[in-house]
Each structure stands twice: as structure tokens, then as C-alpha cells.
């Protein structure tokens, strides 16, 4: 298990527990008792620490190297998944995975950003930063889903759209913009879930939805805390302050009415118990999907557009 | 007072006492070629340097009033103002930044919307004010843009938007990100109604504005030499660790890569847009 800085007290306890386990059952029969006592203590400590996380700490969990990624959820939540790679124009973008599958027996289309677990995979997945062809692949799958009446489920987990020369040459802006426009009127239900990092326009480009959900320790923001800090505070070191000021956590965004629901994570974060996390998420997705499938399609699309129409705060005299 | 302000009907005049004034000195210097220029001549030339054709940045109000036929412009939702819902504070408070912007520009936010006539054709036009917090898009910009699309539908008039923006307004955090979806959704509705939209990208158009409404024109036009892109050149340089190619993210680069349809000199903009709209809306050639 990898521990973050603020989890050090937990890490120390866990190390002690591990040590005791290795000491084995030599003679001391109390060792198991001691272990369970420490385990309880560790859980309490985790609960305490996690009950008052700062937005910056949450963003570290959202980027945790062991956090479950899109493909992990696909494996644990869906059946009969078939990945579709073709964008039909430039090439495949491994930073976005897309395909067809079933959720609780119901055929669906699935799209999500994908990060890599090790260095090689991280490079191949471009750290989950999609290029225009990734967004265009996503759009192609969405349009197909619309034709065949499949609900679209998206999983958001990206630091942002890739800021590179080739991405600009091939129209990163246009690719994102087109997805926003097309998703706003796509004639099939869309459910978007932020599972890790919701990085700006690169996240939103697969995030226009009828239901916008966030895992408890995921983040969603207009710019990364580091980016915001370096522009407004003139120092990336102030990322903690930027995270605080922007209100990037699921809890805060729910309070602001910008997302529909927060999905609770297992104690210590999704990576501590992936299968439990997947089970909870699956249940939520099933319910939301069935709810949307029970409404008439035109009314789903109209509500989506009406909701987009009213986002924003301003005053007029 | 400049010539175009003299001819304005009072309803489209701003509080000109607050307006940042061009030094009343009659001469100015082109920032591109250093030529010494006569102010009045520059204004007559739509703020394009007569010596080197450099397109100098232009205020939203000046832009729109110069775009419409004289005396036909009427501003929409002029009194809409931003609210600081997050009580955002970095080194400065958002409130204070807004106050500076109000004073510096005389505007209430970074987008102006007007209806009027272009060579007699009814048109709805929006323009970003770069001097208002970098032309950044927050809730007011998003809402006013959507209202522009709604006015266009209601009046069956084509829509044009002149963009210049650093992107989304960080001080409004996720509210500003969502304006990208809001404005794009409004353009989907506009399309359904078969109202043409021309997006004019001017220097600079970046980030959340380029990645939403600005790239969604039925026709995308750029002014010469404008910086247009998703990520800023510095961010890209830091990411890829190579020097950027000559002319990268400039209008000419975008044209070459198929991202825009044409580059139009500001002095030709009125007639060009009029012609495109009249073709798209099946109008006979106007007698101009």
C-alpha cells in the first residue's frame, strides 16, 4: 500500500501491524489480539483523518497511483465488454478507451479516460491526457450509441486535454467544442462519473450528461490547482490555496448545485477496496440508468438542455 | 471623443468618463512596425496599421459599433453583472479585480451583445472585451452569449461573435467551465433553427473560449496574425520540451491545418460577413 504524506500516522500503524504478523504465532497467543487492537486503532485513525481532508489532500487521493482507473471499473462493473479503437481518421488514442458492453444485462456504450499503472503504460496512455482523435473516437461511439439506443456511460479521469504541438495542429479546441455541442443534444441518456481527476475542458469533453456524479474523493475543476496557483498566485507552490479557493471537491460542488450526487468511497479511498467501490458505483449507475430509461427520451434531452441553459450566477438590475 | 462615439445613439454609449482614454495626443505608434501614426487615421482604418497592416487590439464596443451600420446598434442585457459566488480570493479578491475591470473598461463584464444592421441586413453580434479580465468567460459571458443565440432565433437574424479571450474565468471555477457546455448547447439549438453563426477569432482566442463557442462557427474566420489555440504556447513548450514551430498557433497556421475557413482583414470584415450570410440565408445580392 502506498501512503500519502498526510496518511503517515496510519502508515506507521499499518507497518507495526505488518511487523507483528511476521513475528508470527511463536508463543505469544496475545499477538492476534494485539493485531486486531491495532487494526481497530488504525481504522479509527483513518476515519478521523479522512473526516477532515483539505481539498488539496482530496486532490492527492484523486491522483493516487493505486486509484482504480476506467478499465478497472469496466472489468468490475460491466459484462461482455468489447473495446472499439477506431476514430476512422488519424489514429487510436490510448488515453481514451471506448466500447460496448452490458450493465446489469442492459446494452450500453462506455467511454473513459485511461491512465497507466506503470511508467511504460503511463507513457502509452499519455498520463490520461487525450488528443483530438481521442475525443473524436469518443464522439463516434456516442453517435453510434444514439443510433442503436444505447445509454452512454462515461468515466472522467484526466489531468486535462493534452497540451502538445500535434494536438493543436489537429484541432484540440474544435474536438472538445464539438463534443460539447453534440453531447448536449445526443438522443440517448448520458451518465458521467468523475472517478479521479476532472481536469478542465479535457474532462468536460466527455462530461455533458443527464446525471453528473462524482466519487467522494475525486475532483473537478476549471484548471488544475497548480495551474491556477501559478497564474493567480504566480507560484505553483500555492496549489493548496488554489484548491481551497476553487472548491474542487465533490462535496463542495454538490453544495453549489453543479453535480447531482456524491458516491461514497470505502474508508481510506477507492484504492483501499476496489471491489467494494465498484459494487457501490455499479449499483448507483444501474439506478440512474433505469431511472433515465424510464423517462421518455425527448424529455431526457430537453431536461439536459434546460439544465445547461440555467447554469451560472449573475445579477441584473 | 472618437468619431464613432459622436454618432452613437445615447442608449449604446457607455459612461465615457470611466473609459480608459486613448491619449488625446494626436499621434500614436504601431506596436508592430513602430510607425508613427495619426490617431484619427488609425480609427478610420479600423485600428489596422496603414503601414504594416498589423491588427491592433480593439475594444468590444468600438468593434461592434464599427461593425454595424451607423446608428442601428442596440445593446442587449447591458446591465448584467457578475457575482462572486465563491468569495474567491487569490493575491487579490475577485471583487477587487472586478472593480478594477469596471473602472478600466467601463463595461460590466467581458462580453457585449448588440443587435443591429449590417449593410441593411438584421444581425445579432457579440464581442469579447479583452481588457475585462483577459476576456475571460464566466457566468455573465455565458449567459449573454446564450441570449445572443436566442435573440438570433427570435429575430431570424444570423449571429456573429468576435472572440478574444484567455479562456475560462478561474475566479468562477467550475461555474465558468460549465459555460463552455452552456454556450455550445445554445449553438446546437441555433443550428436546429438553421440560423447561421460566424465565429471571428481575433488575437488572442485561447482555452475554454476556443474550445467551445469560438470553434463552432458554421464558418470560422480569423483576423490576420491572431494567436488561437487550446493550450497556451508556454504550457505547450514546458510540456513537450521543444521549441515551437515558427508561426505556431497563429491564424495562418490554423488555416494551413484546416481549423479555420479563411483569414479576413478587419477592413474587409463587414462586406465579407455580409456576403457569407446573404448566401447562407438565400438572399439576393444587396445593392450596396
Amino acid at each position: 500500500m502506498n501512503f500519502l504524506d498526510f496518511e503517515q500516522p496510519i502508515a506507521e500503524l499499518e507497518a507495526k501491524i505488518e511487523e507483528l504478523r511476521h513475528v508470527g504465532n511463536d508463543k505469544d497467543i496475545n499477538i492476534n489480539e494485539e493485531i486486531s487492537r491495532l487494526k481497530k486503532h488504525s481504522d479509527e485513525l483513518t476515519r478521523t483523518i479522512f473526516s477532515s481532508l483539505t481539498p488539496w489532500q482530496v486532490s492527492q487521493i484523486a491522483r493516487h497511483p493505486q486509484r482504480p482507473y476506467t478499465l478497472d471499473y469496466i472489468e468490475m462493473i460491466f459484462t461482455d465488454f468489447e473495446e472499439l479503437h477506431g476514430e476512422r481518421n488519424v489514429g487510436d488514442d490510448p488515453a481514451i478507451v471506448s466500447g460496448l458492453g452490458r450493465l446489469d444485462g442492459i446494452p450500453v456504450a462506455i467511454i473513459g479516460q485511461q491512465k497507466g499503472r506503470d511508467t511504460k503504460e503511463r507513457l502509452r496512455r499519455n498520463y490520461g491526457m487525450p488528443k483530438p482523435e481521442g475525443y473524436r473516437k469518443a464522439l463516434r461511439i456516442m453517435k453510434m450509441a444514439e443510433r442503436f439506443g444505447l445509454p452512454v456511460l462515461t468515466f472522467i479521469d484526466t489531468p486535462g486535454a493534452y497540451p502538445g504541438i500535434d494536438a493543436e495542429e489537429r484541432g484540440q479546441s474544435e474536438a472538445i467544442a464539438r463534443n460539447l455541442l453534440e453531447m448536449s443534444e445526443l438522443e440517448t441518456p448520458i451518465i458521467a462519473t468523475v472517478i479521479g481527476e476532472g481536469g478542465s475542458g479535457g474532462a468536460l469533453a466527455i462530461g455533458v450528461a443527464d446525471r453528473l456524479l462524482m466519487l467522494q474523493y475525486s475532483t473537478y475543476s476549471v484548471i488544475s490547482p497548480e495551474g491556477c496557483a501559478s497564474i493567480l498566485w504566480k507560484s505553483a507552490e500555492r496549489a493548496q490555496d488554489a484548491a481551497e479557493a476553487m472548491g474542487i471537491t465533490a462535496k463542495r460542488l454538490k453544495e453549489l448545485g453543479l453535480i447531482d450526487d456524491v458516491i461514497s468511497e470505502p474508508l481510506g479511498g477507492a484504492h483501499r477496496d476496489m471491489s467494494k467501490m465498484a459494487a457501490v458505483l455499479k449499483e448507483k449507475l444501474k439506478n440512474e440508468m433505469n431511472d433515465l430509461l424510464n423517462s421518455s427520451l425527448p424529455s431526457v434531452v430537453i431536461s439536459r438542455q434546460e439544465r445547461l441553459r440555467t447554469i451560472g450566477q449573475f445579477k441584473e438590475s | 471623443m472618437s468619431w464613432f462615439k459622436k454618432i452613437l445613439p445615447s442608449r449604446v454609449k457607455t459612461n465615457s468618463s470611466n473609459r480608459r482614454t486613448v491619449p488625446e495626443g494626436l499621434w500614436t505608434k504601431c506596436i508592430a512596425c513602430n510607425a508613427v501614426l495619426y490617431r484619427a487615421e488609425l480609427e478610420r482604418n479600423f485600428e489596422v496599421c496603414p503601414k504594416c497592416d498589423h491588427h491592433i487590439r480593439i475594444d468590444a464596443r468600438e468593434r461592434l459599433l464599427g461593425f454595424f451600420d451607423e446608428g442601428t446598434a442596440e445593446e442587449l442585457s447591458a446591465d448584467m453583472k457578475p457575482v462572486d459566488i465563491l468569495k474567491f480570493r487569490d493575491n487579490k479578491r475577485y471583487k477587487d479585480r472586478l472593480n478594477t475591470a469596471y473602472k478600466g473598461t467601463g463595461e460590466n463584464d467581458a462580453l457585449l451583445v448588440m443587435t443591429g444592421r449590417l449593410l441593411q441586413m438584421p444581425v445579432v453580434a457579440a464581442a469579447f472585451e479583452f481588457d475585462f479580465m483577459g476576456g475571460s468567460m464566466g457566468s455573465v459571458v455565458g449567459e449573454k452569449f446564450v441570449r445572443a443565440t436566442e435573440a438570433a432565433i427570435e429575430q431570424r437574424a444570423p449571429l456573429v461573435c468576435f472572440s478574444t479571450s484567455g479562456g475560462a474565468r478561474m475566479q468562477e471555477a467550475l461555474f465558468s467551465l460549465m459555460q463552455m457546455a452552456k454556450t455550445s448547447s445554445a449553438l446546437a439549438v441555433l443550428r436546429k433553427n438553421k440560423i447561421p453563426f460566424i465565429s471571428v477569432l481575433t488575437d488572442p482566442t485561447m482555452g475554454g473560449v476556443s474550445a467551445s463557442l469560438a470553434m463552432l462557427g458554421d464558418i470560422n474566420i480569423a483576423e490576420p496574425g491572431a494567436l488561437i489555440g487550446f493550450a497556451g504556447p508556454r504550457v505547450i513548450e514546458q510540456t513537450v520540451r521543444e521549441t515551437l514551430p515558427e508561426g505556431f498557433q497563429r491564424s495562418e497556421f490554423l488555416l494551413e491545418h484546416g481549423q479555420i475557413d479563411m483569414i479576413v482583414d478587419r477592413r474587409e470584415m463587414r462586406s465579407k460577413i455580409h456576403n457569407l450570410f446573404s448566401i447562407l440565408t438565400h438572399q439576393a445580392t444587396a445593392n450596396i
Side-chain angles (χ1 to χ4, degrees):
Chain A
M1 187 62 63
N2 259 347
F3 287 95
L4 300 165
D5 282 352
F6 62 87
E7 293 178 300
Q8 273 322 305
I10 309 169
E12 280 162 27
L13 262 181
E14 291 290 328
K16 221 179 215 170
I17 294 168
E18 210 43 37
E19 210 173 280
L20 276 177
R21 277 197 181 120
H22 282 299
V23 168
N25 309 336
D26 302 2
K27 43 225 153 178
D28 202 340
I29 27 158
N30 283 340
I31 224 164
N32 281 336
E33 239 171 74
E34 178 67 3
I35 287 178
S36 74
R37 196 185 64 81
L38 285 175
K39 190 79 197 113
K40 213 172 138 198
H41 185 41
S42 165
D43 283 356
E44 267 162 32
L45 192 63
T46 309
R47 207 162 281 130
T48 314
I49 290 176
F50 274 71
S51 67
S52 57
L53 294 175
T54 65
W56 176 243
Q57 287 168 336
V58 172
S59 79
Q60 286 171 281
I61 302 171
R63 301 168 180 175
H64 197 290
Q66 284 165 323
R67 196 167 172 83
Y69 298 147
T70 294
L71 281 172
D72 299 313
Y73 288 118
I74 288 177
E75 198 189 309
M76 293 184 285
I77 293 177
F78 301 93
T79 53
D80 309 315
F81 179 67
E82 302 283 357
E83 184 169 354
L84 303 173
H85 294 270
E87 176 256 357
R88 302 286 191 269
N89 190 11
V90 170
D92 185 26
D93 181 356
I96 286 192
V97 294
S98 57
L100 304 172
R102 287 192 173 86
L103 171 60
D104 198 32
I106 297 174
V108 295
I110 305 151
I111 294 161
Q113 284 112 357
Q114 179 65 35
K115 295 176 174 177
R117 202 59 79 186
D118 54 38
T119 308
K120 200 176 148 204
E121 189 66 4
R122 270 183 209 123
L123 282 171
R124 189 169 91 82
R125 302 282 182 186
N126 200 25
Y127 302 88
M129 295 186 287
K131 295 183 177 180
E133 49 272 27
Y135 293 117
R136 289 172 182 143
K137 173 172 74 175
L139 181 59
R140 193 185 84 73
I141 304 304
M142 288 189 255
K143 295 301 279 183
M144 180 168 64
E146 180 182 54
R147 278 199 301 284
F148 295 101
L150 312 178
V152 175
L153 296 145
T154 73
F155 297 93
I156 294 169
D157 189 14
T158 178
Y162 181 59
I165 296 172
D166 52 345
E168 294 288 326
E169 283 175 346
R170 295 198 287 272
Q172 187 71 286
S173 286
E174 195 274 347
I176 294 171
R178 173 154 315 272
N179 280 18
L180 303 182
L181 185 148
E182 297 280 358
M183 289 182 88
S184 77
E185 60 175 5
L186 197 76
E187 295 197 359
T188 193
I190 309 172
I191 302 170
T193 310
V194 186
I195 57 170
E197 272 184 286
S200 190
L204 185 63
I206 59 165
V208 180
D210 303 303
R211 296 285 188 276
L212 177 53
L213 314 172
M214 284 179 76
L215 298 192
Q216 188 178 3
Y217 303 124
S218 65
T219 58
Y220 200 178
S221 61
V222 66
I223 182 171
S224 71
E226 291 87 343
C228 179
S230 65
I231 296 172
L232 292 181
W233 278 265
K234 316 273 178 230
S235 154
E237 312 274 295
R238 302 292 296 274
Q240 303 195 27
D241 299 303
E244 194 80 46
M246 286 195 294
I248 62 177
T249 63
K251 186 166 166 263
R252 183 83 177 106
L253 294 169
K254 172 84 168 98
E255 285 164 6
L256 291 168
L258 287 164
I259 65 165
D260 295 299
D261 238 326
V262 182
I263 303 168
S264 297
E265 296 193 20
L267 183 62
H271 59 287
R272 299 282 190 96
D273 194 343
M274 281 201 203
S275 53
K276 187 175 171 196
M277 182 74 255
V280 172
L281 178 56
K282 181 177 181 179
E283 198 54 31
K284 180 71 179 166
L285 292 175
K286 257 168 53 181
N287 291 340
E288 296 293 349
M289 181 179 71
N290 288 328
D291 194 37
L292 288 165
L293 288 174
N294 283 333
S295 317
S296 83
L297 190 50
S299 77
V300 167
V301 179
I302 287 168
S303 318
R304 186 189 311 151
Q305 292 184 332
E306 277 173 358
R307 184 156 86 151
L308 289 169
R309 176 67 190 83
T310 56
I311 300 179
Q313 302 275 338
F314 52 86
K315 59 185 174 197
E316 276 178 298
S317 42
Chain B
M1 191 180 268
S2 57
W3 66 272
F4 60 89
K5 280 187 183 143
K6 284 181 204 147
I7 56 158
L8 298 187
S10 60
R11 64 177 177 271
V12 288
K13 267 185 198 168
T14 32
N15 201 344
S16 57
S17 58
N18 283 343
R19 191 80 193 163
R20 151 187 38 100
T21 45
V22 179
E24 285 293 326
L26 294 172
W27 301 92
T28 189
K29 224 179 196 183
C30 170
I31 52 159
C33 73
N34 276 328
V36 178
L37 305 168
Y38 187 45
R39 256 297 351 140
E41 189 194 348
L42 195 57
E43 274 168 18
R44 271 194 301 275
N45 212 31
F46 292 93
E47 306 285 333
V48 176
C49 172
K51 302 282 187 293
C52 72
D53 290 341
H54 175 69
H55 283 53
I56 297 164
R57 274 185 204 162
I58 185 171
D59 300 336
R61 194 163 293 274
E62 181 176 359
R63 161 91 64 186
L64 289 180
L65 294 173
F67 177 71
F68 286 114
D69 299 345
E70 218 173 291
T72 65
E74 215 169 316
E75 190 172 355
L76 301 182
S77 305
D79 59 353
M80 195 188 297
K81 291 181 95 167
V83 289
D84 179 17
I85 185 162
L86 297 167
K87 306 260 176 292
F88 194 97
R89 178 180 195 150
D90 48 80
N91 285 340
K92 276 187 197 163
R93 290 188 306 180
Y94 179 33
K95 269 201 168 143
D96 295 337
R97 287 189 192 269
L98 285 173
N99 282 328
T100 310
Y102 297 143
K103 288 198 187 104
T105 62
E107 305 296 353
N108 284 332
D109 208 309
L111 189 79
L112 301 188
V113 177
M114 293 184 190
T115 62
R117 286 174 182 269
L118 168 64
L119 304 174
Q120 296 167 37
M121 175 193 289
V123 170
V124 179
F128 280 77
E129 174 55 64
F130 192 78
D131 287 339
F132 196 103
M133 297 190 71
S136 56
M137 176 161 70
S139 290
V140 172
V141 170
E143 177 69 19
K144 280 177 115 174
F145 184 82
V146 174
R147 289 193 190 177
T149 65
E150 288 166 349
I153 293 168
E154 199 186 298
Q155 299 172 18
R156 304 291 312 165
L159 175 68
V160 57
C161 178
F162 299 91
S163 301
T164 166
S165 172
R169 188 171 299 167
M170 285 175 284
Q171 290 85 350
E172 291 186 26
L174 207 67
F175 282 99
S176 61
L177 185 75
M178 293 300 171
Q179 301 309 308
M180 294 169 65
K182 175 173 171 169
T183 53
S184 302
S185 171
L187 287 171
V189 178
L190 191 77
R191 278 187 186 192
K192 269 238 151 87
N193 282 276
K194 302 201 189 310
I195 305 288
F197 169 47
I198 292 182
S199 173
V200 182
L201 299 106
T202 77
D203 186 55
T205 300
M206 306 298 293
V209 170
S210 105
S212 62
L213 61 100
M215 273 295 169
L216 292 174
D218 292 298
I219 294 168
N220 292 336
I221 295 176
E223 282 191 343
L227 186 74
I228 299 161
F230 177 65
R234 251 186 317 152
V235 173
I236 297 174
E237 213 154 29
Q238 282 162 14
T239 309
V240 302
R241 293 176 199 286
E242 25 178 318
T243 341
L244 302 176
E246 177 79 18
F248 181 63
Q249 291 184 317
R250 294 288 167 184
S251 306
E252 298 71 17
F253 176 92
L254 270 87
L255 185 71
E256 195 183 314
H257 286 89
Q259 306 301 330
I260 56 171
D261 296 296
M262 56 175 82
I263 295 174
V264 175
D265 187 298
R266 195 181 288 159
R267 291 161 292 193
E268 315 287 319
M269 200 63 85
R270 276 165 50 86
S271 59
K272 198 65 121 180
I273 290 177
H274 177 266
N275 187 41
L276 292 167
F277 277 153
S278 68
I279 291 169
L280 288 172
T281 58
H282 296 260
Q283 289 179 30
T285 316
N287 298 319
I288 310 155

